[in-house]
Amino acid sequence: MRWVSVGLAGGIALALALTVVLVLLNRTDQPQERLSAVVTATAYNSVPQQTDGDPNVAAWGDRLKPGMKVIAVSRDLLNKGLTRGVNVKIEGLSGTYKVLDKMHSRWTDKIDIYMGKDIEAAKEWGRQQVTIYWDKPKPKTKTQ
């Protein structure tokens, strides 16, 4: 067997090339299915009058701070893939909102948009029918 000396730079290049091949073989960035739903959207605030517990802690234990783009979802939407951490685009609003809270089981097809401590903004939003968009969650693999 004959060994070829490739030097340090060649060894690094070879290792990098092998890493790229392995990453490409395990790609999970395939185009995802885009889902949508028409929901009733209301707004909520981090104030004691609107919660049973700490107004700054969401249902999954996430700490909410004014300025965060967060929504709470009705529990029926959890079964449609709107689980904790999913990014959601809301028709008519800029940016992406993250699912970090869930609502009481009495609600269906509903989201609540977090508006920090700005009660007037929440009242101004009121109740609206909107379309929301999110990517279908990828199936979990054994290593996840």
Side-chain angles (χ1 to χ4, degrees):
M1 179 177 255
R2 189 169 191 208
W3 292 94
V4 178
S5 175
V6 292
L8 182 60
I12 291 172
L14 181 59
L16 181 60
L18 287 172
T19 301
V20 168
V21 168
L22 290 173
V23 167
L24 291 174
L25 288 173
N26 292 313
R27 284 176 70 150
T28 57
D29 63 341
Q30 301 302 319
Q32 288 182 279
E33 183 180 348
R34 192 80 163 152
L35 302 175
S36 66
V38 176
V39 297
T40 300
T42 54
Y44 73 112
N45 306 103
S46 290
V47 293
Q49 309 90 286
Q50 295 182 24
T51 184
D52 295 332
D54 184 336
N56 299 307
V57 178
W60 282 297
D62 296 281
R63 186 155 288 282
L64 303 179
K65 297 176 189 158
M68 293 175 74
K69 290 191 172 198
V70 170
I71 62 171
V73 296
S74 56
R75 294 179 189 235
D76 62 310
L77 297 176
L78 297 172
N79 296 328
K80 295 179 180 178
L82 283 168
T83 55
R84 182 180 178 274
V86 169
N87 291 316
V88 176
K89 174 72 180 117
I90 302 170
E91 175 186 57
L93 294 178
S94 63
T96 302
Y97 289 74
K98 188 173 288 269
V99 176
L100 289 182
D101 206 354
K102 53 189 171 182
M103 303 169 75
H104 190 280
S105 59
R106 72 176 170 262
W107 300 112
T108 58
D109 296 314
K110 189 170 191 282
I111 65 169
D112 228 354
I113 303 165
Y114 177 65
M115 295 197 173
K117 297 190 184 298
D118 193 343
I119 295 171
E120 286 306 311
K123 286 180 180 177
E124 188 176 314
W125 174 266
R127 176 182 307 273
Q128 299 183 34
Q129 292 293 118
V130 297
T131 302
I132 58 174
Y133 304 91
W134 70 99
D135 290 329
K136 182 177 181 178
K138 295 176 187 175
K140 298 236 184 233
T141 63
K142 289 182 181 180
T143 59
Q144 287 181 320

